Amino acid sequence: MKPEDTEVWEPVPHVVETPVGLAPSDAIVLFDGQDLSKWESQKNPGQPADWPVAGGVFTVNKKAGNIWTKQKFSSYQLHLEFYIPKDIDGEGQGRGNSGLFVAAIGKGDEGYELQILDSYNNKTYVNGQLGSVYKQLIPLANPARKPGEWQTYDVVWTAPTFKSDGSVETPARVTAFINGVLVQNNAELIGGTQYIGKPSYKAHGPAPIMLQAHGDPSKPISFKNIWVRPL
C-alpha cells in the first residue's frame, strides 16, 4: 500500500472561527448581554421571559417562574456562565439553587436537569449537588468556585431517540464540564428528572432548553454568555 491509500480528503469539515471570549461563528447566541429575546416564559408560552437584564447579565426572577428557549433542539453543544452571589445564604438545596434543563419536555420541571447549586462548602445529597444529573448521576468531581466568582458550564447533550411505539431506541447521554473540569463523561441517563420516584422516559422530539426559577429563599443567581451549537 501507499501512504495516500489511507488518506481521506472529503468531506471537508466546515470552518469555525473561535474569537476569544465570544461564541463560535456557527453558534446560536441565546444571550448576548442585551435582552432575552431568544427566551420566553415557560408558564405562559409566547410571553416574554420576565427575568431582569442589567450590565450584560440576567438574573433569576423566582416569582416569574422558569424560562425556556423559543427554539427547540435535539443534540447540541452548550456553553453558559453562572454566578452565585457573594453574600448567598441558606444551606443544602436552599443555597443558590437553579437548574439547567438540557431538554424541557412538559410543565414545571419535567425534563432532564443538570443541577446548578452553590456546592462550595455546602453539604447536600451527592446526586443533587452542582454537576449532578439531578437525582440520577453523581458528578465525577466538585469544581465549584466560591460565591462571588463567575463559573462555566459546558455541555454536550445527546438527545434520546424513540421507536414508533414510544419505547426508547437510544437513551440520552450527557458530557459536562464545570470550570473546565469533567463532571459527567458521556453518561447514560435512565430517564427524565424526577424529584420523587425513579426516572423514566417519555417519548418526545426536539425540546427547548430551560433555566429553573427554584423556589428556595436564597438570593437569586445570574447568567451570561449563553450559546448553543446544534449537532
Side-chain angles (χ1 to χ4, degrees), residues 109-111 113 125 127 134-136 191-200:
D109 293 339
E110 190 174 5
E113 180 184 8
Y125 44 92
N127 62 348
Y134 187 71
K135 285 289 184 81
Q136 280 195 59
T193 295
Q194 293 287 339
Y195 179 52
I196 300 174
K198 298 293 185 180
S200 62

Side-chain angles (χ1 to χ4, degrees), residues 22-50:
L22 300 175
S25 60
D26 65 346
I28 298 169
V29 177
L30 296 177
F31 179 69
D32 62 1
Q34 301 299 314
D35 57 51
L36 288 171
S37 59
K38 300 289 181 68
W39 302 76
E40 65 182 7
S41 167
Q42 184 211 21
K43 291 193 299 185
N44 300 294
Q47 297 300 309
D50 189 21

Side-chain angles (χ1 to χ4, degrees), residues 50-52 59-67 212-214 220-221:
D50 189 21
W51 289 13
T59 301
V60 176
N61 178 353
K62 298 188 181 187
K63 293 182 179 179
N66 303 337
I67 63 171
Q212 183 188 47
H214 193 267
I221 75 171

Side-chain angles (χ1 to χ4, degrees), residues 43-149:
K43 291 193 299 185
N44 300 294
Q47 297 300 309
D50 189 21
W51 289 13
V53 178
V57 308
F58 68 95
T59 301
V60 176
N61 178 353
K62 298 188 181 187
K63 293 182 179 179
N66 303 337
I67 63 171
W68 61 13
T69 57
K70 295 177 180 178
Q71 185 172 346
K72 296 180 179 180
F73 301 93
S74 293
S75 300
Y76 59 77
Q77 174 191 353
L78 174 75
H79 172 88
L80 68 75
E81 299 172 26
F82 67 97
Y83 177 86
I84 307 290
K86 186 175 182 180
D87 57 348
I88 193 73
D89 50 11
E91 60 184 15
Q93 294 292 304
R95 184 180 173 90
N97 197 326
S98 182
L100 166 59
F101 281 76
V102 289
I105 60 172
K107 297 180 179 179
D109 293 339
E110 190 174 5
Y112 311 87
E113 180 184 8
L114 280 170
Q115 177 69 306
I116 298 175
L117 188 77
D118 178 21
S119 286
Y120 185 85
N121 293 333
N122 180 33
K123 188 175 182 178
T124 189
Y125 44 92
V126 292
N127 62 348
Q129 73 177 68
L130 176 67
S132 65
V133 177
Y134 187 71
K135 285 289 184 81
Q136 280 195 59
L137 300 172
I138 301 166
L140 300 174
N142 178 6
R145 293 173 180 162
K146 62 184 179 181
E149 298 183 15

